[in-house]
Amino acid sequence: MCNEYIEDKVTIEDVANALGISKSTVSRAISGKGRIGKETRERVLSYIKEHNYKPNPIAKGLSESKTYNICWVDPGDSSMTALPFFQRCMAGVVDAASAENYDILMGVVYDDNISHLKRIVSNHKVDGVILGRTLINDESIPYLIESKVPFVAIGSTDYKDVVQIDNDHFKACNELTSILIMKGIKKFALIGGDSNHVVNRTRREGFLHALKEQKIDITDDDIFMNCLSDEDVERATDTALRNGAECLMCMDDGICSATIAKLKRDEVSIPEDIKIASFYNSELLSNNQPTITALQYDPKELGINACKTLFDILNGIEVEQKVMLSYEVQLKSSTQ
Amino acid sequence: MCNEYIEDKVTIEDVANALGISKSTVSRAISGKGRIGKETRERVLSYIKEHNYKPNPIAKGLSESKTYNICWVDPGDSSMTALPFFQRCMAGVVDAASAENYDILMGVVYDDNISHLKRIVSNHKVDGVILGRTLINDESIPYLIESKVPFVAIGSTDYKDVVQIDNDHFKACNELTSILIMKGIKKFALIGGDSNHVVNRTRREGFLHALKEQKIDITDDDIFMNCLSDEDVERATDTALRNGAECLMCMDDGICSATIAKLKRDEVSIPEDIKIASFYNSELLSNNQPTITALQYDPKELGINACKTLFDILNGIEVEQKVMLSYEVQLKSSTQ
DNA sequence: AACATAAGGACAACCGATTGCGCAGTAGAG
DNA sequence: CTCTACTGCGCAATCGGTTGTCCTTATGTT
């Protein structure tokens, strides 16, 4: 079975022999580089189409010093609700990479253990790396810099000279918060996730910036970071309600979903008794009644953008150091 | 930047020259194959350790007709709650593959569109394929068979001659159901997911088989398949309760979680008013009060097993056509 | 001491592509 | 009619490894 599989590989030499020409001519016909007769070129192209010949990317890669692979570093320790986001991100990367005949090699970084990433990079198995997300002190970034492999980070980081693709969470959270303040809300609470994630820190800052600008007071007692479990969220919600919050700002879809579940269980009605908004929208919230005010981003666009940027770097094209993608503020009935 | 990166690649020839020996000697020292002097071998090994030389797997692959990659076909359209399962599965594959210096190439099959998988396989970018899950009429399976690439499926399938690694869902569901019958439950309802997934069909059959064996009646009105949204689950739960169900059997963690949420909202208490059990346990259920009776599987073990089996196939070692991994019945307070 | 044998390592072909160089043939210019 | 220039294509080196073959020593046997 294995032999048969290998047997029916067509090589460039087979094509050349069948057509009575040399390997180099076939190669040039396919790539279009170098001098080649129009007629010969067409003969080759029609032959390889008919016989389903595809240049072996391993051999091609060897002679071009390319691998035709890029490494997607998967945030393996991410929370369950974060997974669909990363999966869509990766889908964008896969799409953009496929368009250039590139493939995606999985690099997993569980619990900040970058040994797998190191193996892939030091083995020269990839031409570049895309970091699925950034942590505050991300071990993989200094490693990637030192190894000199081209890479792009999805998300922001404080490390210098790192090419970053991100949504403008600061601006988005600032804008959403400002809008809610305009609507008359004066007392907010923030229920947030892992403060080790750059995105969470940034959202917090955007939120606080809006409050400061509009001179709305908030104390640390109204800010609940590192809510990682449903229990954490429930405790935060209880405290926030007791403190007299008018609006709960949830840092992401998972937290928002847990908050809503808690409120419904306690028969606290939205938006009559309490308003609620989320800094990230997903299908977790999309079917909710009432509909939820939230910020909407496009994870797939992030992935596509990151991949295209990486290709630019690989091709020696100058790229912007930090690209900020757009977002959408969706005002729904949860903040009416 | 890109140039520097390429510059510091150490090749086998560099090593050979530095040691004043030939490439082949270095190669044999590393692989241990062929005749090589003990002393020379140690000189080479210590040199490459010190200079951090690693054989280029692209070149190695070219001469060995291997890619050192296997393709993980990700079920991209899977439901959100299913993602952690597949991610752990894949983590198992990654671990087992790394041990053999293999890497994982992402193949995505969204909405039964296998073009990406086709590109990877026909480009000879992988030595084998692992299918993350099986559908009833899975387009990728006939393609993989036809292409003659070695592959292993996680999950079961009706296609002939496919190597399958699966948990014994039939036996597990049969066993759990039987136990509950022994405990005196006489009226069940089944809330199930996508009937296009082999695993869901199998779980249903295992469940029904236990009922039949123990001569417990059930009608189609008590079986709710294709519950894909929370609303579907809520409707099913309502109907089941109205029909006088004593125990709700949930086909997976997502459905069970939605069912519990619905029951809590309606203040139906578990297990006093209704008992509940799940055919799949996950962190979605793990923190619940009351604790939930459920079947436990190890997704990582599935991945490891699938990968090792694939390596056996690649190495020409005979493998079992169908491997069934174990499960655990966890009786908790939700069925007391 | 003579010879068979085995061990250690070098050489070169090979995996399947790309690409610089050079040669033959044709066409256009003077 | 010759000279130049260009076109189309083949040859061979190269990418970085593996591996079969052969040559040179060292070892052991009688």
Side-chain angles (χ1 to χ4, degrees):
Chain A
M1 170 166 151
C2 190
N3 294 331
E4 290 175 47
Y5 172 60
I6 289 174
E7 232 173 79
D8 61 8
K9 273 193 195 172
V10 184
T11 74
I12 198 171
E13 190 135 18
D14 299 333
V15 176
N17 290 340
L19 264 49
I21 58 182
S22 75
K23 294 197 300 176
S24 34
T25 304
V26 176
S27 175
R28 281 189 259 263
I30 294 170
S31 67
K33 294 180 207 163
R35 295 189 306 220
I36 178 121
K38 189 159 181 275
E39 199 187 339
T40 316
R41 171 143 206 249
E42 277 159 9
R43 269 178 68 217
V44 172
L45 292 182
S46 85
Y47 181 91
I48 67 174
K49 182 158 295 173
E50 190 181 344
H51 290 74
N52 199 31
Y53 164 77
K54 296 202 190 171
N56 181 331
I58 304 288
K60 191 169 155 69
L62 182 60
S63 77
E64 291 174 331
S65 285
K66 287 186 185 182
T67 63
Y68 287 96
N69 287 145
I70 66 180
C71 179
W72 160 261
V73 179
D74 195 54
D77 57 346
S78 59
S79 72
M80 211 171 64
T81 63
L83 282 176
F85 178 87
F86 292 117
Q87 223 207 12
R88 275 179 205 141
C89 234
M90 193 185 70
V93 173
V94 169
D95 280 4
S98 296
E100 305 285 331
N101 213 33
Y102 265 71
D103 288 298
I104 306 304
L105 218 71
M106 282 298 303
V108 293
V109 176
Y110 294 153
D111 306 321
D112 223 12
N113 175 352
I114 64 171
S115 61
H116 187 232
L117 175 63
K118 278 185 172 175
R119 199 174 61 74
I120 289 175
V121 171
S122 69
N123 268 348
H124 309 289
K125 294 232 3 185
V126 295
D127 296 341
V129 176
I130 293 178
L131 230 44
R133 70 119 176 271
T134 53
L135 302 179
I136 300 280
N137 287 308
D138 202 312
E139 268 198 62
S140 38
I141 295 181
Y143 170 70
L144 291 173
I145 292 173
E146 188 205 329
S147 79
K148 291 173 186 151
V149 64
F151 77 102
V152 169
I154 293 181
S156 300
T157 176
D158 293 334
Y159 287 102
K160 284 286 134 214
D161 301 324
V162 173
V163 177
Q164 303 157 50
I165 317 285
D166 203 358
N167 293 111
D168 198 337
H169 294 107
F170 182 91
K171 190 150 164 272
C173 295
N174 183 72
E175 182 174 331
L176 173 56
T177 308
S178 298
I179 291 174
L180 296 178
I181 295 172
M182 300 297 187
K183 284 174 146 258
I185 298 171
K186 292 200 155 23
K187 176 82 175 161
F188 290 87
L190 176 66
I191 308 183
D194 194 334
S195 59
N196 196 33
H197 291 23
V198 177
V199 59
N200 288 341
R201 194 187 55 180
T202 310
R203 285 176 177 165
R204 181 171 174 275
E205 284 166 2
F207 165 70
L208 291 177
H209 187 258
L211 296 184
K212 199 168 181 183
E213 266 188 336
Q214 317 272 337
K215 307 211 189 323
I216 302 284
D217 283 338
I218 190 162
T219 68
D220 283 350
D221 295 344
D222 298 317
I223 298 177
F224 308 89
M225 293 297 287
N226 293 305
C227 294
L228 302 179
S229 70
D230 284 0
E231 285 71 44
D232 293 337
V233 172
E234 289 176 15
R235 248 191 313 274
T237 307
D238 276 334
T239 312
L241 288 177
R242 231 180 296 118
N243 290 355
E246 296 167 43
C247 183
L248 302 179
M249 306 299 280
C250 301
M251 200 160 262
D252 61 39
D253 54 333
I255 289 175
C256 190
S257 168
T259 307
I260 293 170
K262 159 74 175 162
L263 293 173
K264 286 193 172 170
R265 219 171 305 135
D266 292 351
E267 297 187 338
V268 181
S269 48
I270 311 169
E272 293 78 8
D273 302 332
I274 185 92
K275 300 187 199 312
I276 188 166
S278 175
F279 288 151
Y280 178 61
N281 193 15
S282 80
E283 61 277 85
L284 262 185
L285 307 177
S286 55
N287 287 324
N288 200 77
Q289 276 309 329
T291 52
I292 306 294
T293 290
L295 291 168
Q296 178 81 39
Y297 312 95
D298 184 347
K300 189 163 184 177
E301 195 195 354
L302 271 179
I304 292 175
N305 225 289
C307 193
K308 287 188 172 169
T309 303
L310 182 58
F311 283 138
D312 282 348
I313 298 176
L314 292 177
N315 295 325
I317 298 171
E318 197 76 22
V319 300
E320 284 182 67
Q321 226 225 223
K322 182 148 192 173
V323 175
M324 286 293 200
L325 299 184
S326 64
Y327 57 90
E328 201 186 315
V329 180
Q330 300 176 326
L331 294 175
K332 296 291 176 60
S333 48
S334 71
T335 52
Q336 283 302 303
Chain B
M1 171 166 151
C2 189
N3 294 331
E4 290 175 48
Y5 173 60
I6 288 174
E7 231 172 79
D8 61 5
K9 273 191 195 174
V10 184
T11 73
I12 197 172
E13 192 136 19
D14 299 333
V15 176
N17 291 339
L19 265 49
I21 56 181
S22 74
K23 293 198 301 176
S24 39
T25 304
V26 176
S27 175
R28 281 189 255 264
I30 294 170
S31 68
K33 295 179 205 163
R35 295 191 303 221
I36 178 125
K38 191 161 178 273
E39 198 186 338
T40 316
R41 171 142 204 248
E42 277 159 10
R43 268 179 67 217
V44 172
L45 292 182
S46 85
Y47 182 91
I48 67 173
K49 183 159 295 171
E50 189 180 343
H51 290 73
N52 199 31
Y53 164 77
K54 296 202 189 170
N56 180 330
I58 305 288
K60 193 168 154 67
L62 182 60
S63 79
E64 291 175 329
S65 286
K66 286 186 185 182
T67 64
Y68 287 96
N69 287 144
I70 66 179
C71 178
W72 160 262
V73 178
D74 194 56
D77 57 345
S78 59
S79 72
M80 211 171 64
T81 62
L83 281 176
F85 178 87
F86 292 117
Q87 221 206 12
R88 277 182 202 140
C89 235
M90 193 185 70
V93 173
V94 169
D95 279 4
S98 296
E100 306 285 332
N101 212 32
Y102 264 71
D103 288 298
I104 306 305
L105 218 72
M106 281 298 302
V108 293
V109 176
Y110 293 153
D111 305 322
D112 225 10
N113 175 352
I114 64 171
S115 60
H116 187 230
L117 175 62
K118 278 185 173 174
R119 199 173 62 74
I120 289 174
V121 171
S122 69
N123 268 349
H124 308 289
K125 294 238 354 191
V126 295
D127 295 341
V129 176
I130 294 177
L131 230 44
R133 72 120 176 272
T134 52
L135 302 178
I136 300 280
N137 287 307
D138 203 312
E139 266 199 63
S140 39
I141 295 181
Y143 170 71
L144 291 172
I145 292 173
E146 188 205 329
S147 79
K148 291 170 186 152
V149 63
F151 76 102
V152 170
I154 293 180
S156 300
T157 175
D158 293 334
Y159 287 101
K160 283 286 135 214
D161 301 324
V162 173
V163 177
Q164 302 156 51
I165 316 286
D166 204 357
N167 293 111
D168 198 337
H169 295 107
F170 182 91
K171 191 150 162 272
C173 295
N174 182 73
E175 183 174 331
L176 173 57
T177 307
S178 298
I179 291 173
L180 296 178
I181 294 172
M182 300 297 186
K183 286 175 144 255
I185 298 170
K186 292 201 154 27
K187 175 84 174 160
F188 290 87
L190 176 67
I191 309 182
D194 193 335
S195 59
N196 195 34
H197 291 22
V198 176
V199 59
N200 289 342
R201 192 187 56 182
T202 309
R203 285 176 176 165
R204 180 172 175 275
E205 284 166 3
F207 165 71
L208 291 177
H209 187 258
L211 296 184
K212 198 167 181 184
E213 266 187 337
Q214 316 272 338
K215 305 213 190 329
I216 301 285
D217 282 338
I218 189 162
T219 68
D220 283 350
D221 295 344
D222 297 317
I223 299 178
F224 308 89
M225 293 297 287
N226 293 305
C227 295
L228 302 180
S229 71
D230 284 0
E231 286 70 46
D232 292 338
V233 172
E234 289 176 15
R235 246 191 315 274
T237 308
D238 276 334
T239 312
L241 288 177
R242 230 179 298 119
N243 290 357
E246 296 167 43
C247 183
L248 302 180
M249 306 299 281
C250 301
M251 201 161 262
D252 61 41
D253 54 334
I255 288 175
C256 190
S257 169
T259 306
I260 293 169
K262 159 74 174 164
L263 293 173
K264 286 193 173 171
R265 219 171 304 136
D266 292 352
E267 297 187 337
V268 180
S269 48
I270 310 168
E272 293 78 9
D273 302 333
I274 184 94
K275 300 186 197 312
I276 188 165
S278 176
F279 287 151
Y280 177 61
N281 193 12
S282 82
E283 60 277 86
L284 262 185
L285 307 177
S286 55
N287 287 325
N288 200 77
Q289 278 307 332
T291 51
I292 306 295
T293 290
L295 292 168
Q296 179 81 38
Y297 312 95
D298 185 348
K300 189 163 184 176
E301 194 195 354
L302 271 179
I304 292 175
N305 225 290
C307 193
K308 287 188 172 169
T309 303
L310 182 58
F311 283 138
D312 282 348
I313 298 177
L314 292 176
N315 294 326
I317 298 170
E318 197 77 23
V319 300
E320 284 182 65
Q321 227 224 221
K322 183 150 192 172
V323 175
M324 286 293 199
L325 299 184
S326 65
Y327 56 90
E328 199 187 314
V329 180
Q330 300 176 325
L331 294 174
K332 297 290 176 61
S333 49
S334 71
T335 51
Q336 283 301 300

